[in-house]
Amino acid sequence: QKEVEQNSGPLSVPEGAIASLNCTYSDRGSQSFFWYRQYSGKSPELIMFIYSNGDKEDGRFTAQLNKASQYVSLLIRDSQPSDSATYLCAVANAGNNRKLIWGLGTSLAVNP
Amino acid sequence: DVKVTQSSRYLVKRTGEKVFLECVQDMDHENMFWYRQDPGLGLRLIYFSYDVKMKEKGDIPEGYSVSREKKERFSLILESASTNQTSMYLCASGLTSGDTGELFFGEGSRLTVL
């Protein structure tokens, strides 16, 4: 059974701090990794994707990938209360990359 | 702006009723998906379609069927609704090539089966 695991949280950080969200996956053949944000009562929206080992930065967000350790993370710098949401890690299924394997999400609370 | 529209935001149905959930996308995407989302269980794939009239079972297809007669429209059908199908249903669409994990979701349809 291919799995994606995330700490459910809640992860609580003060405003302005760095929030670090982590995800591990079991399918060693996976090549594509995605972070979605889901506000309460809303649908998921894609915020970052990463395909290569290392870091990828987009504004206040940095995705980090380590395929050898089967680990992907999302860093949010200068966290804002508007970042409070559930963050879903998704990994493309190596056997059928149309299908994503989803983690259960980490709830992030940014406190003013 | 990219748009995935689900026909009903809230539905209340009785056990045994036939339920249709409709989804339309305006991005000319090949792939369309139906998920359900439940607390503690996350997003679970019911069915997806990669072309008109083509469909593949996801992880939890039992009790559901789908229809894709036109590229922009993907329907989820509950032939005989049961209480354990009470859930939030999310439709999504995405491209075949390139960033195939970039999905665009509709606003969701919250179904309650009594």
Side-chain angles (χ1 to χ4, degrees):
Chain A
Q1 180 78 1
K2 297 173 183 176
E3 294 182 339
V4 173
E5 296 195 359
Q6 301 180 250
N7 289 326
S8 62
L11 174 65
S12 184
V13 301
E15 184 174 354
I18 296 174
S20 177
L21 304 159
N22 304 315
C23 172
T24 58
Y25 60 95
S26 64
D27 187 355
R28 189 168 285 280
S30 295
Q31 298 294 322
S32 308
F33 308 87
F34 305 87
W35 283 100
Y36 283 76
R37 177 177 62 202
Q38 186 173 24
Y39 291 115
S40 180
K42 301 293 187 182
S43 297
E45 56 177 336
L46 180 70
I47 53 172
M48 290 285 291
F49 59 87
I50 187 166
Y51 302 145
S52 304
N53 275 330
D55 294 1
K56 178 182 178 182
E57 190 173 314
D58 183 2
R60 295 186 297 113
F61 298 96
T62 299
Q64 299 175 316
L65 175 61
N66 183 326
K67 289 184 181 179
S69 300
Q70 295 175 242
Y71 177 94
V72 58
S73 64
L74 179 71
L75 301 178
I76 306 175
R77 289 183 301 283
D78 188 24
S79 295
Q80 301 297 308
S82 59
D83 295 325
S84 298
T86 296
Y87 289 80
L88 303 172
C89 174
V91 175
N93 186 324
N96 181 344
N97 68 359
R98 294 187 185 94
K99 292 176 67 172
L100 294 178
I101 308 165
W102 295 84
L104 295 183
T106 298
S107 175
L108 172 66
V110 181
N111 306 306
Chain B
D1 233 3
V2 157
K3 196 94 172 146
V4 178
T5 303
Q6 294 184 230
S7 56
S8 306
R9 291 294 306 278
Y10 301 95
L11 304 95
V12 179
K13 298 292 182 181
R14 297 211 173 270
T15 300
E17 281 193 78
K18 192 168 185 175
V19 182
F20 292 88
L21 298 178
E22 301 267 308
C23 176
V24 178
Q25 52 99 359
D26 65 359
M27 295 160 285
D28 201 35
H29 284 162
E30 292 87 359
N31 295 335
M32 295 188 75
F33 305 81
W34 276 106
Y35 287 92
R36 62 179 284 179
Q37 188 172 34
D38 301 286
L41 297 176
L43 279 165
R44 293 182 291 167
L45 181 63
I46 304 170
Y47 267 97
F48 68 101
S49 169
Y50 51 90
D51 201 352
V52 174
K53 297 193 187 294
M54 305 302 287
K55 61 186 179 185
E56 278 194 36
K57 293 180 180 179
D59 301 315
I60 52 163
E62 297 77 18
Y64 303 93
S65 62
V66 290
S67 172
R68 189 152 181 214
E69 297 296 320
K70 293 185 177 182
K71 188 176 186 179
E72 67 270 19
R73 189 179 297 269
F74 192 35
S75 302
L76 180 69
I77 303 147
L78 288 68
E79 294 289 342
S80 177
S82 63
T83 54
N84 63 12
Q85 293 177 310
T86 291
S87 186
M88 172 65 83
Y89 290 87
L90 291 167
C91 175
S93 72
L95 293 167
T96 297
S97 59
D99 298 336
T100 57
E102 184 176 7
L103 300 185
F104 297 87
F105 285 85
E107 291 187 312
S109 298
R110 183 165 293 281
L111 172 65
T112 301
V113 183
L114 302 176

